[in-house]
Amino acid sequence: MTAISEIVKNGIIFDMKNWGSDQSGIGCLSENIDRLFALLQQRDINYLLVGGVALLSYVDGRNTQDIDLILSQKDLTSLPELTIADQNQNFVRATFDKLQVDILLTQNTLFKYIAKNCTTSRQFSNLTVRCVTVEGLLILKLYALPSLYRQNKFDRASIYENDILLLLLKYPTELEPIWKLLQKHLLPSDITEIQEITSDIQKRIQRFRSR
């Protein structure tokens, strides 16, 4: 498995929005990422890797430029090295030196469920990381979609739908238990929308396989 630093570095280098900007921090990515995960281990922090890096451990897909973790508020305070730029009830955006770190807080009961029940170990080069499972990734992607559509973030929603397609194509998963779980966290209209989206994705997969 490719090192996390290579994944993030490629995401930065191949993003045209970054061309011409200051990329002096790229050379320190490997050191910063190793130091971050060393701190998580040394302080016995109950983290879970999610987001783009976790996704790329299962499927070939889009680039990513940050680290996404699920943490409790208590564990977040155990990492004073993080510089918090923005925070609300569910999410934190921070930096670790020049590395962007996005955090999903377990104050959100769904994120807490994922951190407890959807975990595995994944190897990234010489680094063993506590990582979300395929089912956990699908839950998180589907949970986010209605909010993205309400905010008119159609480009982001399209990326998430493609992530879901790639995961289901490689790891066929029973979706009804996921819908049932999400009923506790989303509006009925959101569940209907998610069911329609996943039904369309499954039809696309069937058409692909029939060829």
Side-chain angles (χ1 to χ4, degrees), residues 95-160:
T95 54
F96 183 80
D97 198 350
K98 293 188 178 182
L99 172 68
Q100 183 174 316
V101 182
D102 291 338
I103 297 165
L104 288 65
L105 294 170
T106 57
Q107 292 170 196
N108 180 299
T109 55
L110 180 63
F111 300 162
K112 185 175 182 178
Y113 172 90
I114 300 277
K116 182 179 179 181
N117 298 285
C118 301
T119 69
T120 188
S121 293
R122 303 290 283 178
Q123 192 75 26
F124 294 87
S125 187
N126 63 340
L127 187 65
T128 302
V129 173
R130 190 167 181 264
C131 184
V132 69
T133 61
V134 168
E135 180 184 25
L137 279 170
L138 288 168
I139 293 169
L140 290 170
K141 300 289 181 185
L142 290 169
Y143 173 71
L145 276 177
S147 176
L148 292 175
Y149 277 113
R150 275 193 290 272
Q151 297 174 68
N152 294 322
K153 295 183 177 180
F154 300 118
D155 54 344
R156 192 73 176 169
S158 176
I159 291 170
Y160 275 37

Side-chain angles (χ1 to χ4, degrees), residues 3-204:
I4 293 176
S5 57
E6 288 300 311
I7 293 172
V8 176
K9 182 166 66 176
N10 289 339
I12 295 171
I13 290 173
F14 293 110
D15 185 345
M16 289 189 294
K17 294 192 296 293
N18 296 325
W19 294 359
S21 63
D22 179 17
Q23 298 186 19
S24 58
I26 288 180
C28 301
L29 274 177
S30 181
E31 178 185 342
N32 289 343
I33 288 170
D34 287 346
R35 189 159 57 93
L36 173 61
F37 282 96
L39 288 174
L40 292 170
Q41 184 174 11
Q42 290 165 11
R43 296 175 189 173
D44 197 25
I45 291 175
N46 189 29
Y47 74 91
L48 187 67
L49 178 70
V50 295
V53 174
L55 176 78
L56 289 168
S57 75
Y58 294 105
V59 296
D60 295 327
R62 58 188 172 86
N63 293 321
T64 187
Q65 301 179 35
D66 55 18
I67 302 293
D68 299 88
L69 302 172
I70 296 180
L71 291 176
S72 69
Q73 184 67 53
K74 179 181 177 182
D75 283 331
L76 177 61
T77 61
S78 299
L79 286 168
E81 294 85 356
L82 288 174
T83 301
I84 296 176
D86 189 29
Q87 179 172 359
N88 60 34
Q89 184 177 355
N90 296 322
F91 302 100
V92 175
R93 172 152 288 192
T95 54
F96 183 80
D97 198 350
K98 293 188 178 182
L99 172 68
Q100 183 174 316
V101 182
D102 291 338
I103 297 165
L104 288 65
L105 294 170
T106 57
Q107 292 170 196
N108 180 299
T109 55
L110 180 63
F111 300 162
K112 185 175 182 178
Y113 172 90
I114 300 277
K116 182 179 179 181
N117 298 285
C118 301
T119 69
T120 188
S121 293
R122 303 290 283 178
Q123 192 75 26
F124 294 87
S125 187
N126 63 340
L127 187 65
T128 302
V129 173
R130 190 167 181 264
C131 184
V132 69
T133 61
V134 168
E135 180 184 25
L137 279 170
L138 288 168
I139 293 169
L140 290 170
K141 300 289 181 185
L142 290 169
Y143 173 71
L145 276 177
S147 176
L148 292 175
Y149 277 113
R150 275 193 290 272
Q151 297 174 68
N152 294 322
K153 295 183 177 180
F154 300 118
D155 54 344
R156 192 73 176 169
S158 176
I159 291 170
Y160 275 37
E161 287 188 20
N162 190 63
D163 292 343
I164 293 166
L165 184 149
L166 292 175
L167 287 168
L168 290 176
L169 187 62
K170 190 169 182 180
Y171 304 93
T173 302
E174 179 59 50
L175 293 176
E176 286 193 16
I178 294 178
W179 296 338
K180 187 175 181 180
L181 171 66
L182 289 173
Q183 285 174 358
K184 303 174 185 177
H185 305 277
L186 294 172
L187 298 171
S189 58
D190 292 338
I191 297 300
T192 300
E193 182 178 13
I194 286 170
Q195 289 172 333
E196 291 174 353
I197 290 169
T198 50
S199 176
D200 179 64
I201 288 172
Q202 288 177 317
K203 289 176 182 176
R204 290 163 63 190

